[in-house]
Amino acid sequence: MPSSFPSGASSTPALSRPSGSLFIRLCAMMLLEFIVFGSWFATLGLVLATNGLDMIIGTAYSFAALGAIFSPMLLGAIADRYISSQKVLAGVHMVGGILLLLLPGLVAAQAGGAVLGLILVYMLFFMPTLGLTNTIAFRHLGGNDKLFPYVRVFGTIGWIVAGLGVGWAGLSASTGVFVVAAVASFALGIYAFTLPKTPPTGGGRFSFGDLVGAKSWVLFRQRNFVIFGICALLTTICLATYNAYAAPFLGALGIENVAGVLAIGQISEVIFIVTIPFVLVRLGMKWALLGGMVMWGVRFVLFMLAAGDMPWLAIVGIALHGICNDFFLILGAMYVDQVAPVALKAQAQSYFLFVSTGLGAFLGSLVAGQVYNAVVAPSVASGESDLGAWSALWLLPIGASAVTAVLWIVFFRMSEHRATEAAVLADVAAQRDIAAERTS
């Protein structure tokens, strides 16, 4: 990794290198986490469309994003201060499994309002677990951040297993995906109780500022972190559009076994994720992240071309998922872990999720849903299935990707990190002194 990228030594407690058994346990955690997520989220749009609820696809994904907006900060603060992260992870997944079992009946009854409400409640519980698994992994890797991609790759494998399993069972468009996810959620809930102890590190009294992650806002003293946040927001608009409408688009192209085809994207993740340490050494964090962000725009250009009698280009676009996701979400999590002080790591990871799977996903799903309902849905309802109508939808993420590239290239400077990191740590120390005086 380039020397301009700050080491974790200043903000990560000195822990020993993880044993082989511990490494395997962390990998199993990631595997189960993404089996839960991948079982239903990838083809939710297709499930809703198949059951006569296609008009709420965009809203459903925007409601899912609301869960990432409102809950990760709260549970991140709790994990930082009061309850061990592995116990929070266990409890949340047990509740989540129960909620997932209620969805098949509501979807089959075409109870759109109830479906949306339950998805919102479920995601309020689930979304924080993405940050919690990152926190647990980073804590027990003992500062060996370069090992994180090899742990995280098992999340991708979990998504592949879920996608191939759902596709093989013929459940891509079935409400049975929720049952599969529920079983996996219960399994992870039980397994999480066996994970190594990850006690809270923040200390002090809880306040409204903890609820909204205010202490992690000190990171915004870094211009780089501000630019990172803005670019993450724009990139997630692309991600949200893909999550909501890739499956229906593949179905419109006449592609069968949609879940299995979408799993090609996760297979490419496995290929690219192991290249992260080598890419960081040769390109550095700035250019590696740029590649992940810009490739989203390339993907949707291929989708536009696929609508013109070249459906195979859509599969090529799916196969780019390894670069799109690995070099944005995983590198993003590594970047946040590097710049966040140890007492704020859980909240900082939650803040990244707030932007990447919350606010950006909400805006992207909402706007993409409006475009779909206005342009694509009428052709679907009439039975014409005009593939050209999808082009208007793909222009949204293409534009967001172009703006991201300009902002990142012009304003992000890796060389500024060491000075700003020192300022952040000094500010955190000052806040601790003030808090100590108030509680003494």
Side-chain angles (χ1 to χ4, degrees):
M1 192 173 295
S3 59
S4 60
F5 192 69
S7 69
S10 62
S11 57
T12 304
L15 299 174
S16 60
R17 187 179 182 86
S19 64
S21 61
L22 176 55
F23 183 81
I24 292 172
R25 292 166 69 189
L26 296 175
C27 292
M29 173 189 70
M30 285 291 185
L31 180 78
L32 288 171
E33 173 77 6
F34 283 86
I35 286 178
V36 174
F37 203 16
S39 296
W40 69 278
F41 196 71
T43 60
L44 173 62
L46 185 60
V47 172
L48 294 177
T50 303
N51 287 274
L53 295 172
D54 61 307
M55 294 296 286
I56 71 166
I57 293 174
T59 307
Y61 278 93
S62 67
F63 271 37
L66 286 177
I69 292 176
F70 291 113
S71 64
M73 289 299 181
L74 175 59
L75 287 185
I78 291 175
D80 273 338
R81 289 176 171 271
Y82 299 117
I83 305 176
S84 295
S85 294
Q86 82 280 1
K87 293 181 180 178
V88 177
L89 182 68
V92 167
H93 271 294
M94 297 302 288
V95 174
I98 296 172
L99 296 175
L100 284 167
L101 290 177
L102 301 177
L103 275 169
L106 295 176
V107 173
Q110 297 186 350
V115 169
L116 291 174
L118 191 56
I119 287 176
L120 173 60
V121 174
Y122 173 76
M123 295 305 273
L124 285 171
F125 280 92
F126 176 80
M127 277 300 183
T129 67
L130 296 174
L132 286 173
T133 51
N134 284 348
T135 299
I136 292 170
F138 279 122
R139 284 278 297 277
H140 294 285
L141 286 176
N144 297 290
D145 291 355
K146 289 183 179 180
L147 293 177
F148 179 70
Y150 301 106
V151 172
R152 178 57 178 77
V153 73
F154 280 86
T156 303
I157 293 172
W159 193 290
I160 293 171
V161 169
L164 293 178
V166 166
W168 173 80
L171 299 176
S172 297
S174 168
T175 56
V177 296
F178 302 117
V179 178
V180 174
V183 172
S185 189
F186 289 133
L188 179 52
I190 295 171
Y191 176 72
F193 282 113
T194 72
L195 289 171
K197 295 180 180 179
T198 311
T201 59
R205 294 181 298 179
F206 186 79
S207 66
F208 176 76
D210 294 315
L211 179 61
V212 297
K215 290 186 177 179
S216 66
W217 295 352
V218 67
L219 294 170
F220 284 97
R221 291 183 58 179
Q222 303 184 46
R223 183 183 69 172
N224 280 341
F225 198 80
V226 174
I227 297 301
F228 172 74
I230 295 173
C231 290
L233 178 68
L234 291 171
T235 302
T236 308
I237 290 175
C238 305
L239 174 60
T241 306
Y242 176 82
N243 284 340
Y245 292 106
F249 179 61
L250 293 179
L253 289 174
I255 294 175
E256 298 181 356
N257 188 6
V258 172
V261 172
L262 288 173
I264 293 174
Q266 278 65 51
I267 293 172
S268 77
E269 278 196 70
V270 174
I271 296 173
F272 282 101
I273 199 169
V274 296
T275 69
I276 286 178
F278 306 101
V279 172
L280 284 175
V281 169
R282 286 159 178 77
L283 297 181
M285 181 62 73
K286 174 177 180 175
W287 300 109
L289 274 169
L290 176 66
M293 294 172 179
V294 171
M295 198 55 66
W296 282 97
V298 175
R299 152 180 274 174
F300 287 107
V301 169
L302 292 174
F303 276 19
M304 289 182 68
L305 296 174
D309 296 326
M310 291 187 289
W312 60 273
L313 286 177
I315 299 177
V316 175
I318 298 295
L320 292 178
H321 201 65
I323 302 176
C324 294
N325 254 28
D326 292 346
F327 288 84
F328 168 56
L329 292 178
I330 296 178
L331 282 180
M334 293 175 69
Y335 171 77
V336 170
D337 185 72
Q338 289 284 354
V339 300
V342 62
L344 304 179
K345 284 188 182 296
Q347 288 188 66
Q349 289 290 344
S350 293
Y351 193 86
F352 176 53
L353 288 173
F354 164 78
V355 173
S356 62
T357 59
L359 184 59
F362 174 75
L363 294 175
S365 299
L366 200 62
V367 176
Q370 293 298 317
V371 175
Y372 175 89
N373 291 343
V375 180
V376 183
S379 69
V380 174
S382 66
E384 298 175 1
S385 296
D386 180 15
L387 292 176
W390 287 88
S391 295
L393 179 60
W394 305 143
L395 287 175
L396 171 66
I398 291 172
S401 181
V403 173
T404 297
V406 173
L407 290 175
W408 192 257
I409 293 172
V410 174
F411 296 106
F412 191 89
R413 296 285 185 273
M414 284 305 303
S415 59
E416 298 176 3
H417 264 300
R418 289 201 177 276
T420 51
E421 182 190 23
V424 167
L425 293 173
D427 198 343
V428 170
Q431 289 185 19
R432 285 178 175 172
D433 290 341
I434 294 173
E437 292 178 359
R438 289 177 177 174
T439 56
S440 61

